[in-house]
Amino acid sequence: GDATAMLIKSYACQRRTPLKHHNSFLTEALEILAQNAEYNDNEGRSVAFRRAASVLKALPRRVRSMEDLRCLPCLGDHSQRVIKEILEDGSSREVESTRQSEQYQAMKALTGIFGVGVRTADRWFREGLRSPDDLIRTGQQLNREQQAGVQYYDDLQKPVTKAEADVISDVVEKAVHAVLPGAEIQLMGGFRRGKEVGHDVDFLITHPEEGKEERLMPKITNWLEEQGLLLYQKTTRNSYLEKMDGPARASSNMDRFERCFSIFKLQESAASCKSNCSASAEDVSAAHEHHSEASGWRAVRVDLVVSPYSQFAFATLGWTGSKLFERELRRWAGQEKHMSLSSHALYDNKQNLYLRAKTEEEIFAYLGLEYIPPSERNA
Ligand code: ATP
Ligand code: MN
Ligand code: MN
């Protein structure tokens, strides 16, 4: 209806976007085109499709005709053509041919490897490589991260469930409290937004006494390593300096916290192992391919981030996502408020000062936005 359509605002951070919505038959199609544009290094086009998809996620009803789209923001000609075709024919030829294309499938398989970005995947694709197996077969030079990515490829392709994320949370909490009592740990990313599955588990760690968090990560990873819980980890030191990184860089996507990209070895519970390990003789070859079902553990990607207490609200906002929601927040801050937002700080370019915040609510208020809770940030 028109009345609701009129209320859809144009920045994703001005809207509530629930996890479950009524238009996945359209948003999945648009997101394939967005993904394909990303594979072709066309960021502008990719963001345009993602914004269009995101608007449809915020609608209170299923779209039934082009009439329903009147007055909606962010729907460009191309997106409208795709939507129209799906509404009329049930599918879009462009989307289906993209989905089937050798390039799309190969890029999806190759960028699906931990440590492989679009640039590397594209170079491999142009050399004729299509899959992780092709990399092994042709003896490609891989860095340590990519080696782990290939080694644990099958496990890392499997979605991480909320139950598994909760087990990992307990492990991380134990590790952090063992090395720094009083530290605070928060589940971030998709699981904080209420997702039931994810591609990884994200955590933010801080301590109320500023300074206590410095160089915390190596202590955490040492503890985890001693327990045999880490299959891979790469820690990067904190490199944030307010004077240098503040106003000028604040809108950059990458933050400078001490962080660790890791792969955990997750023991699967006896119950889940039992149900998966129907160990008959015929299953031996199948068990070979799915080692975790035979061995009782699986690999899980985990991101750990350590933030000073004074930046915790900004870090929380920045690591909750979704990626589009974050992008739109920064765009709103810059274009509408002349402010620079990052996961470290909010800088007011008119008053030339940093705006301090203890909570996410305060940051939304500075930005002149209605507070959107994490479960409604699934833009
Ligand atoms: P998924 O279920 O696929 O993991 P997700 O929303 O948790 O979904 P992530 O890729 O784990 O996706 O990212 C979580 C959040 O962390 C996002 O908001 C993203 O902006 C932020 N983030 C991820 N990587 C970085 C990075 N290198 N620097 C800064 N922020 C990042
Ligand atoms: Mn995540
Ligand atoms: Mn992550």
Short mmCIF file of all heavy atoms in Angstrom, two decimals, residues 206-252:
data_model
loop_
_atom_site.label_atom_id
_atom_site.label_comp_id
_atom_site.label_asym_id
_atom_site.label_seq_id
_atom_site.Cartn_x
_atom_site.Cartn_y
_atom_site.Cartn_z
N THR A 206 36.70 -6.11 26.02
CA THR A 206 37.19 -4.87 26.60
C THR A 206 37.37 -5.05 28.11
O THR A 206 37.05 -6.12 28.65
CB THR A 206 36.23 -3.69 26.32
OG1 THR A 206 36.87 -2.46 26.69
CG2 THR A 206 34.93 -3.82 27.10
N HIS A 207 37.91 -4.02 28.77
CA HIS A 207 38.01 -4.04 30.23
C HIS A 207 37.68 -2.64 30.74
O HIS A 207 38.18 -1.66 30.19
CB HIS A 207 39.42 -4.46 30.67
CG HIS A 207 39.49 -4.77 32.13
ND1 HIS A 207 39.47 -3.79 33.12
CD2 HIS A 207 39.55 -5.96 32.79
CE1 HIS A 207 39.52 -4.37 34.31
NE2 HIS A 207 39.57 -5.68 34.14
N PRO A 208 36.84 -2.56 31.81
CA PRO A 208 36.39 -1.25 32.31
C PRO A 208 37.52 -0.33 32.72
O PRO A 208 37.35 0.88 32.74
CB PRO A 208 35.51 -1.60 33.51
CG PRO A 208 35.25 -3.05 33.45
CD PRO A 208 36.22 -3.69 32.51
N GLU A 209 38.68 -0.92 33.07
CA GLU A 209 39.81 -0.09 33.44
C GLU A 209 40.67 0.13 32.20
O GLU A 209 41.37 -0.79 31.76
CB GLU A 209 40.61 -0.80 34.55
CG GLU A 209 41.35 0.12 35.48
CD GLU A 209 42.03 -0.71 36.58
OE1 GLU A 209 41.31 -1.52 37.23
OE2 GLU A 209 43.25 -0.57 36.75
N GLU A 210 40.61 1.33 31.63
CA GLU A 210 41.30 1.61 30.38
C GLU A 210 42.80 1.32 30.50
O GLU A 210 43.43 1.70 31.50
CB GLU A 210 41.09 3.08 29.98
CG GLU A 210 41.59 3.42 28.59
CD GLU A 210 40.46 3.65 27.60
OE1 GLU A 210 39.29 3.39 27.93
OE2 GLU A 210 40.76 4.10 26.48
N GLY A 211 43.35 0.62 29.52
CA GLY A 211 44.77 0.28 29.57
C GLY A 211 44.99 -1.20 29.87
O GLY A 211 45.93 -1.81 29.38
N LYS A 212 44.07 -1.78 30.65
CA LYS A 212 44.17 -3.20 30.99
C LYS A 212 44.06 -4.08 29.74
O LYS A 212 44.51 -5.22 29.73
CB LYS A 212 43.03 -3.60 31.95
CG LYS A 212 43.23 -3.10 33.36
CD LYS A 212 43.88 -4.17 34.23
CE LYS A 212 43.68 -3.80 35.69
NZ LYS A 212 44.76 -4.22 36.55
N GLU A 213 43.42 -3.54 28.69
CA GLU A 213 43.18 -4.34 27.49
C GLU A 213 44.39 -4.37 26.56
O GLU A 213 44.40 -5.13 25.59
CB GLU A 213 41.93 -3.82 26.76
CG GLU A 213 42.15 -2.62 25.83
CD GLU A 213 42.53 -1.33 26.56
OE1 GLU A 213 42.31 -1.24 27.78
OE2 GLU A 213 43.07 -0.42 25.89
N GLU A 214 45.41 -3.55 26.87
CA GLU A 214 46.56 -3.46 25.96
C GLU A 214 47.30 -4.79 25.85
O GLU A 214 47.59 -5.42 26.86
CB GLU A 214 47.52 -2.36 26.43
CG GLU A 214 47.10 -0.98 25.93
CD GLU A 214 47.96 0.14 26.52
OE1 GLU A 214 49.17 -0.09 26.68
OE2 GLU A 214 47.39 1.20 26.81
N ARG A 215 47.60 -5.17 24.62
CA ARG A 215 48.33 -6.42 24.32
C ARG A 215 47.68 -7.65 24.96
O ARG A 215 48.35 -8.59 25.38
CB ARG A 215 49.81 -6.30 24.76
CG ARG A 215 50.54 -5.15 24.12
CD ARG A 215 50.66 -5.26 22.59
NE ARG A 215 51.59 -6.31 22.16
CZ ARG A 215 51.34 -7.12 21.13
NH1 ARG A 215 50.20 -7.05 20.47
NH2 ARG A 215 52.22 -8.01 20.77
N LEU A 216 46.36 -7.62 25.02
CA LEU A 216 45.61 -8.72 25.62
C LEU A 216 45.56 -9.94 24.69
O LEU A 216 45.61 -11.09 25.13
CB LEU A 216 44.19 -8.24 25.96
CG LEU A 216 43.19 -9.26 26.49
CD1 LEU A 216 43.70 -9.92 27.77
CD2 LEU A 216 41.84 -8.58 26.77
N MET A 217 45.48 -9.69 23.38
CA MET A 217 45.22 -10.79 22.44
C MET A 217 46.25 -11.92 22.52
O MET A 217 45.85 -13.09 22.53
CB MET A 217 45.11 -10.25 21.01
CG MET A 217 44.44 -11.21 20.06
SD MET A 217 42.68 -11.36 20.41
CE MET A 217 42.05 -9.93 19.55
N PRO A 218 47.56 -11.60 22.52
CA PRO A 218 48.53 -12.71 22.57
C PRO A 218 48.32 -13.60 23.80
O PRO A 218 48.53 -14.81 23.73
CB PRO A 218 49.88 -11.99 22.64
CG PRO A 218 49.62 -10.65 22.06
CD PRO A 218 48.21 -10.30 22.42
N LYS A 219 47.89 -12.99 24.92
CA LYS A 219 47.63 -13.80 26.12
C LYS A 219 46.46 -14.74 25.88
O LYS A 219 46.49 -15.90 26.29
CB LYS A 219 47.33 -12.89 27.31
CG LYS A 219 48.52 -12.04 27.75
CD LYS A 219 48.12 -11.11 28.90
CE LYS A 219 49.14 -9.99 29.07
NZ LYS A 219 48.57 -8.84 29.77
N ILE A 220 45.42 -14.21 25.21
CA ILE A 220 44.24 -15.04 24.93
C ILE A 220 44.61 -16.18 23.98
O ILE A 220 44.28 -17.34 24.23
CB ILE A 220 43.11 -14.19 24.30
CG1 ILE A 220 42.67 -13.07 25.25
CG2 ILE A 220 41.92 -15.07 23.92
CD1 ILE A 220 41.70 -12.07 24.62
N THR A 221 45.31 -15.85 22.92
CA THR A 221 45.63 -16.90 21.92
C THR A 221 46.61 -17.92 22.50
O THR A 221 46.50 -19.11 22.19
CB THR A 221 46.17 -16.30 20.62
OG1 THR A 221 47.29 -15.46 20.91
CG2 THR A 221 45.10 -15.48 19.91
N ASN A 222 47.55 -17.47 23.35
CA ASN A 222 48.44 -18.43 24.00
C ASN A 222 47.66 -19.43 24.83
O ASN A 222 47.91 -20.63 24.78
CB ASN A 222 49.47 -17.72 24.90
CG ASN A 222 50.60 -17.14 24.07
OD1 ASN A 222 50.81 -17.52 22.93
ND2 ASN A 222 51.33 -16.20 24.67
N TRP A 223 46.71 -18.90 25.61
CA TRP A 223 45.89 -19.78 26.46
C TRP A 223 45.14 -20.79 25.60
O TRP A 223 45.13 -21.99 25.88
CB TRP A 223 44.90 -18.93 27.28
CG TRP A 223 44.19 -19.68 28.37
CD1 TRP A 223 44.57 -19.79 29.67
CD2 TRP A 223 42.96 -20.44 28.24
NE1 TRP A 223 43.66 -20.56 30.36
CE2 TRP A 223 42.67 -20.98 29.52
CE3 TRP A 223 42.10 -20.71 27.19
CZ2 TRP A 223 41.55 -21.78 29.77
CZ3 TRP A 223 40.97 -21.50 27.42
CH2 TRP A 223 40.70 -22.03 28.70
N LEU A 224 44.51 -20.28 24.52
CA LEU A 224 43.73 -21.17 23.64
C LEU A 224 44.63 -22.21 22.98
O LEU A 224 44.26 -23.38 22.83
CB LEU A 224 43.01 -20.34 22.56
CG LEU A 224 41.85 -19.46 23.04
CD1 LEU A 224 41.47 -18.45 21.96
CD2 LEU A 224 40.64 -20.31 23.42
N GLU A 225 45.83 -21.76 22.58
CA GLU A 225 46.76 -22.67 21.91
C GLU A 225 47.21 -23.78 22.86
O GLU A 225 47.28 -24.95 22.47
CB GLU A 225 47.98 -21.89 21.39
CG GLU A 225 48.31 -22.20 19.95
CD GLU A 225 48.71 -20.96 19.14
OE1 GLU A 225 49.42 -20.10 19.70
OE2 GLU A 225 48.28 -20.87 17.98
N GLU A 226 47.48 -23.39 24.13
CA GLU A 226 47.88 -24.40 25.12
C GLU A 226 46.81 -25.46 25.31
O GLU A 226 47.11 -26.62 25.60
CB GLU A 226 48.18 -23.73 26.47
CG GLU A 226 49.58 -23.11 26.53
CD GLU A 226 49.75 -22.16 27.71
OE1 GLU A 226 48.92 -22.21 28.66
OE2 GLU A 226 50.70 -21.35 27.67
N GLN A 227 45.55 -25.04 25.18
CA GLN A 227 44.44 -25.99 25.33
C GLN A 227 44.18 -26.77 24.04
O GLN A 227 43.26 -27.58 23.99
CB GLN A 227 43.15 -25.24 25.71
CG GLN A 227 43.27 -24.30 26.88
CD GLN A 227 43.23 -25.03 28.21
OE1 GLN A 227 42.45 -25.96 28.40
NE2 GLN A 227 44.10 -24.64 29.12
N GLY A 228 44.94 -26.48 23.01
CA GLY A 228 44.75 -27.18 21.73
C GLY A 228 43.47 -26.80 21.01
O GLY A 228 42.90 -27.58 20.27
N LEU A 229 43.00 -25.55 21.24
CA LEU A 229 41.71 -25.15 20.68
C LEU A 229 41.83 -24.32 19.39
O LEU A 229 40.82 -24.01 18.77
CB LEU A 229 40.93 -24.33 21.73
CG LEU A 229 40.56 -25.12 22.99
CD1 LEU A 229 40.04 -24.20 24.08
CD2 LEU A 229 39.51 -26.18 22.65
N LEU A 230 43.06 -23.99 19.00
CA LEU A 230 43.24 -23.15 17.80
C LEU A 230 43.88 -23.95 16.67
O LEU A 230 44.92 -24.56 16.83
CB LEU A 230 44.14 -21.95 18.12
CG LEU A 230 43.52 -20.77 18.85
CD1 LEU A 230 44.53 -19.63 18.94
CD2 LEU A 230 42.24 -20.30 18.16
N LEU A 231 43.26 -23.87 15.50
CA LEU A 231 43.83 -24.51 14.30
C LEU A 231 44.64 -23.50 13.52
O LEU A 231 45.56 -23.84 12.78
CB LEU A 231 42.70 -25.06 13.43
CG LEU A 231 41.84 -26.15 14.06
CD1 LEU A 231 40.58 -26.40 13.24
CD2 LEU A 231 42.65 -27.44 14.20
N TYR A 232 44.27 -22.21 13.66
CA TYR A 232 44.96 -21.13 12.94
C TYR A 232 44.67 -19.83 13.66
O TYR A 232 43.57 -19.64 14.18
CB TYR A 232 44.45 -21.03 11.49
CG TYR A 232 44.93 -19.78 10.79
CD1 TYR A 232 46.14 -19.76 10.10
CD2 TYR A 232 44.20 -18.59 10.87
CE1 TYR A 232 46.60 -18.60 9.50
CE2 TYR A 232 44.65 -17.42 10.27
CZ TYR A 232 45.85 -17.44 9.59
OH TYR A 232 46.32 -16.29 9.00
N GLN A 233 45.64 -18.93 13.70
CA GLN A 233 45.36 -17.59 14.20
C GLN A 233 46.36 -16.60 13.64
O GLN A 233 47.52 -16.92 13.43
CB GLN A 233 45.35 -17.54 15.74
CG GLN A 233 46.70 -17.72 16.42
CD GLN A 233 47.41 -16.41 16.70
OE1 GLN A 233 46.88 -15.32 16.51
NE2 GLN A 233 48.66 -16.51 17.14
N LYS A 234 45.87 -15.41 13.37
CA LYS A 234 46.77 -14.33 12.99
C LYS A 234 46.33 -13.08 13.75
O LYS A 234 45.22 -12.58 13.58
CB LYS A 234 46.73 -14.07 11.49
CG LYS A 234 47.72 -12.98 11.08
CD LYS A 234 47.95 -12.98 9.58
CE LYS A 234 49.09 -12.05 9.21
NZ LYS A 234 48.62 -10.68 8.93
N THR A 235 47.21 -12.60 14.62
CA THR A 235 46.90 -11.43 15.44
C THR A 235 47.54 -10.19 14.83
O THR A 235 48.69 -10.23 14.40
CB THR A 235 47.40 -11.66 16.88
OG1 THR A 235 46.69 -12.77 17.44
CG2 THR A 235 47.18 -10.42 17.74
N THR A 236 46.77 -9.12 14.79
CA THR A 236 47.27 -7.83 14.33
C THR A 236 47.22 -6.86 15.50
O THR A 236 46.23 -6.82 16.22
CB THR A 236 46.38 -7.29 13.19
OG1 THR A 236 46.18 -8.33 12.24
CG2 THR A 236 47.02 -6.09 12.50
N ARG A 237 48.30 -6.10 15.68
CA ARG A 237 48.34 -5.17 16.82
C ARG A 237 47.45 -3.96 16.60
O ARG A 237 47.18 -3.57 15.47
CB ARG A 237 49.78 -4.70 17.05
CG ARG A 237 50.66 -5.81 17.58
CD ARG A 237 52.06 -5.29 17.86
NE ARG A 237 52.07 -4.33 18.97
CZ ARG A 237 53.15 -4.10 19.71
NH1 ARG A 237 54.27 -4.75 19.47
NH2 ARG A 237 53.11 -3.22 20.68
N ASN A 238 47.04 -3.36 17.69
CA ASN A 238 46.29 -2.11 17.63
C ASN A 238 47.22 -1.03 17.06
O ASN A 238 48.35 -0.88 17.48
CB ASN A 238 45.85 -1.72 19.05
CG ASN A 238 45.04 -0.44 19.06
OD1 ASN A 238 45.29 0.49 18.29
ND2 ASN A 238 44.07 -0.37 19.93
N SER A 239 46.70 -0.29 16.07
CA SER A 239 47.52 0.76 15.46
C SER A 239 46.75 2.07 15.37
O SER A 239 47.00 2.90 14.52
CB SER A 239 47.97 0.31 14.07
OG SER A 239 46.84 0.08 13.25
N TYR A 240 45.78 2.22 16.28
CA TYR A 240 44.95 3.43 16.24
C TYR A 240 45.58 4.56 17.04
O TYR A 240 45.92 4.41 18.21
CB TYR A 240 43.56 3.14 16.81
CG TYR A 240 42.63 4.34 16.82
CD1 TYR A 240 42.07 4.81 15.64
CD2 TYR A 240 42.31 4.99 18.00
CE1 TYR A 240 41.21 5.91 15.63
CE2 TYR A 240 41.45 6.09 18.01
CZ TYR A 240 40.91 6.53 16.82
OH TYR A 240 40.05 7.61 16.82
N LEU A 241 45.77 5.69 16.39
CA LEU A 241 46.22 6.90 17.06
C LEU A 241 45.21 7.99 16.75
O LEU A 241 45.03 8.35 15.59
CB LEU A 241 47.59 7.33 16.54
CG LEU A 241 48.75 6.37 16.84
CD1 LEU A 241 49.94 6.67 15.96
CD2 LEU A 241 49.12 6.44 18.31
N GLU A 242 44.54 8.50 17.77
CA GLU A 242 43.45 9.46 17.54
C GLU A 242 43.91 10.63 16.67
O GLU A 242 43.24 11.00 15.72
CB GLU A 242 42.92 9.96 18.88
CG GLU A 242 41.61 10.71 18.73
CD GLU A 242 40.96 11.01 20.07
OE1 GLU A 242 41.32 12.05 20.64
OE2 GLU A 242 40.11 10.23 20.50
N LYS A 243 45.09 11.16 16.96
CA LYS A 243 45.56 12.35 16.24
C LYS A 243 45.71 12.09 14.75
O LYS A 243 45.42 12.93 13.92
CB LYS A 243 46.89 12.83 16.83
CG LYS A 243 46.73 13.61 18.11
CD LYS A 243 47.80 14.71 18.22
CE LYS A 243 47.52 15.63 19.39
NZ LYS A 243 47.72 14.93 20.68
N MET A 244 46.21 10.88 14.42
CA MET A 244 46.46 10.60 13.01
C MET A 244 45.29 9.94 12.30
O MET A 244 45.08 10.15 11.12
CB MET A 244 47.68 9.67 12.88
CG MET A 244 48.99 10.39 13.13
SD MET A 244 50.31 9.21 13.33
CE MET A 244 50.21 8.33 11.77
N ASP A 245 44.56 9.10 13.04
CA ASP A 245 43.55 8.28 12.38
C ASP A 245 42.16 8.86 12.51
O ASP A 245 41.22 8.37 11.91
CB ASP A 245 43.54 6.88 12.99
CG ASP A 245 44.81 6.14 12.68
OD1 ASP A 245 45.19 6.14 11.51
OD2 ASP A 245 45.41 5.59 13.61
N GLY A 246 42.01 9.87 13.33
CA GLY A 246 40.69 10.38 13.64
C GLY A 246 39.95 10.96 12.45
O GLY A 246 39.52 10.22 11.58
N PRO A 247 39.80 12.25 12.40
CA PRO A 247 38.94 12.89 11.42
C PRO A 247 39.22 12.44 9.99
O PRO A 247 38.30 12.09 9.27
CB PRO A 247 39.27 14.38 11.58
CG PRO A 247 39.85 14.51 12.92
CD PRO A 247 40.48 13.22 13.27
N ALA A 248 40.49 12.43 9.61
CA ALA A 248 40.81 12.17 8.22
C ALA A 248 40.39 10.79 7.76
O ALA A 248 39.86 10.60 6.68
CB ALA A 248 42.31 12.35 8.00
N ARG A 249 40.62 9.79 8.61
CA ARG A 249 40.42 8.43 8.20
C ARG A 249 39.12 7.83 8.72
O ARG A 249 38.82 6.67 8.42
CB ARG A 249 41.53 7.55 8.78
CG ARG A 249 42.85 7.68 8.11
CD ARG A 249 43.84 6.89 8.97
NE ARG A 249 45.12 6.74 8.32
CZ ARG A 249 45.42 5.68 7.59
NH1 ARG A 249 44.55 4.73 7.39
NH2 ARG A 249 46.61 5.59 7.03
N ALA A 250 38.39 8.61 9.52
CA ALA A 250 37.33 8.00 10.31
C ALA A 250 36.28 7.26 9.48
O ALA A 250 35.63 6.38 10.00
CB ALA A 250 36.65 9.05 11.17
N SER A 251 36.13 7.60 8.23
CA SER A 251 35.07 6.93 7.47
C SER A 251 35.56 5.66 6.79
O SER A 251 34.81 4.99 6.12
CB SER A 251 34.48 7.89 6.44
OG SER A 251 35.49 8.28 5.56
N SER A 252 36.84 5.31 7.00
CA SER A 252 37.35 4.09 6.40
C SER A 252 36.70 2.85 7.04
O SER A 252 36.38 2.84 8.21
CB SER A 252 38.87 4.03 6.56
OG SER A 252 39.29 2.72 6.83
#
